[in-house]
Amino acid sequence: MEYRKIKDEDNDGGTLSNDIENLRGIGFSGVASVSNVPPREQAKWKRKTVVTVALTFLTSSQAILIVWSKRAGKYEYSVTTANFLVETLKCALSLAALARIWKSEGVTEDNRLSTTLDEVIVYPIPALLYLVKNLLQYYIFAYVDAPGYQILKNLNIISTGVLYRIILKKKLSDIQWAAFILLCAGCTTAQLNSRSDHVLQTSLPGWIMAIVMALLSGFAGVYTEAIIKKRPSRNINVQNFWLYISGMAFNAIAILIQDFDAVMNKGFFHGYSIITTLMILNHALSTSRNGSSDVQQINYS
């Protein structure tokens, strides 16, 4: 009896050992499955991570650079010329991307710059909306500070999500709707002012400008996304190029209307500084449609 009991315990121990080995095998195979991710997928995720970190830095520093570009509380430079240079730089970036594609793939029907009037006639609409929105972002700092602007800027994502649902008929998940509600609550809560008789820190004109900017940015982004979806085979850099050309044209008109005398008498680059140059570079890189639109933020969420 004692021998049989000992033998049974040995058998149980053997079974237990086998189970442990099986678990170890499962663990090792699980690790192997993670490490066996294709290099192309790993590179893709690394690229997304780098872009996300870079865009976070660029967008968070945008308001600070605009405020720092002021002198004695005023813009010494012409904001319309700054906007014009932003569109010019974005156009140059699109051309550089296209040149790289032409070198590797050659010129094809989808990536050639030559186009028709029917294709480019749709771009002035979002370009005009972006012009008004970009000009407002300079004047809103008369009513809000840099941190307040960054908080109110989240309204862009909210308006884009709602317009994305209405115009493109895109069904948003429950998580995305919950994120929009949290953003609304966060924007409002962060603006509550308990140290004065005013309920909100930002004045009414500041809120109106922030809401108008959010609607303009959202509608322009969704409209541009709809244009791109109608021509999915067309290279996005070609579409960006014609969008930015339209933006340059509208900004040139804005210079003639608003700052013609100042540009003619003082020069195009009057009042520019290193901070102004960094601001222009920041704005061009953070608003390029290769990866920074609010619509893409909706898609990634």
Side-chain angles (χ1 to χ4, degrees), residues 20-40:
I20 292 174
E21 291 299 326
N22 290 334
L23 288 174
R24 286 177 179 174
I26 293 173
F28 291 142
S29 64
V31 174
S33 63
V34 174
S35 61
N36 286 335
V37 175
R40 187 174 181 180

Side-chain angles (χ1 to χ4, degrees), residues 6-210:
I6 294 172
K7 187 172 180 62
D8 290 339
E9 289 175 354
D10 289 339
N11 290 336
D12 292 339
T15 304
L16 181 61
S17 299
N18 292 335
D19 291 340
I20 292 174
E21 291 299 326
N22 290 334
L23 288 174
R24 286 177 179 174
I26 293 173
F28 291 142
S29 64
V31 174
S33 63
V34 174
S35 61
N36 286 335
V37 175
R40 187 174 181 180
E41 288 295 322
Q42 291 182 2
K44 182 179 179 181
W45 280 106
K46 287 181 180 178
R47 185 168 61 252
K48 281 187 176 182
T49 302
V50 171
V51 170
T52 301
V53 173
L55 287 176
T56 301
F57 173 77
L58 289 171
T59 54
S60 60
S61 60
Q62 191 176 100
I64 298 174
L65 290 173
I66 293 177
V67 173
W68 281 358
S69 68
K70 288 184 175 183
R71 294 178 183 175
K74 296 181 180 179
Y75 298 110
E76 294 289 333
Y77 59 92
S78 168
V79 296
T80 54
T81 61
N83 268 341
F84 180 84
L85 292 176
V86 169
E87 295 299 318
T88 303
L89 181 56
K90 291 193 291 186
C91 189
L93 291 174
S94 295
L95 280 177
L98 279 172
R100 185 178 178 182
I101 294 174
W102 293 336
K103 185 177 180 180
S104 60
E105 302 177 6
V107 179
T108 64
E109 187 71 17
D110 295 331
N111 63 29
R112 59 181 175 81
L113 279 181
S114 57
T115 182
T116 61
L117 180 61
D118 291 337
E119 182 178 0
V120 299
I121 201 172
V122 295
Y123 293 112
I125 296 176
L128 180 59
L129 295 176
Y130 279 128
L131 167 67
V132 178
K133 179 258 181 184
N134 290 335
L135 289 177
L136 283 177
Q137 77 176 353
Y138 291 97
Y139 300 118
I140 194 174
F141 286 103
Y143 306 99
V144 300
D145 54 11
Y149 173 78
Q150 288 298 135
I151 293 171
L152 293 175
K153 194 176 179 182
N154 288 318
L155 294 173
N156 292 358
I157 303 176
I158 299 170
S159 66
T160 302
V162 175
L163 292 171
Y164 200 51
R165 176 69 180 90
I166 295 173
I167 298 176
L168 296 183
K169 308 299 181 181
K170 172 71 174 180
K171 185 177 181 181
L172 302 177
S173 65
D174 294 338
I175 295 178
Q176 289 172 324
W177 282 116
F180 294 148
I181 295 173
L182 289 175
L183 275 175
C184 287
C187 290
T188 305
T189 304
Q191 287 294 305
L192 293 178
N193 191 356
S194 60
R195 293 177 293 179
S196 70
D197 296 334
H198 299 286
V199 178
L200 300 176
Q201 294 182 16
T202 303
S203 61
L204 181 60
W207 270 99
I208 293 175
M209 292 178 71

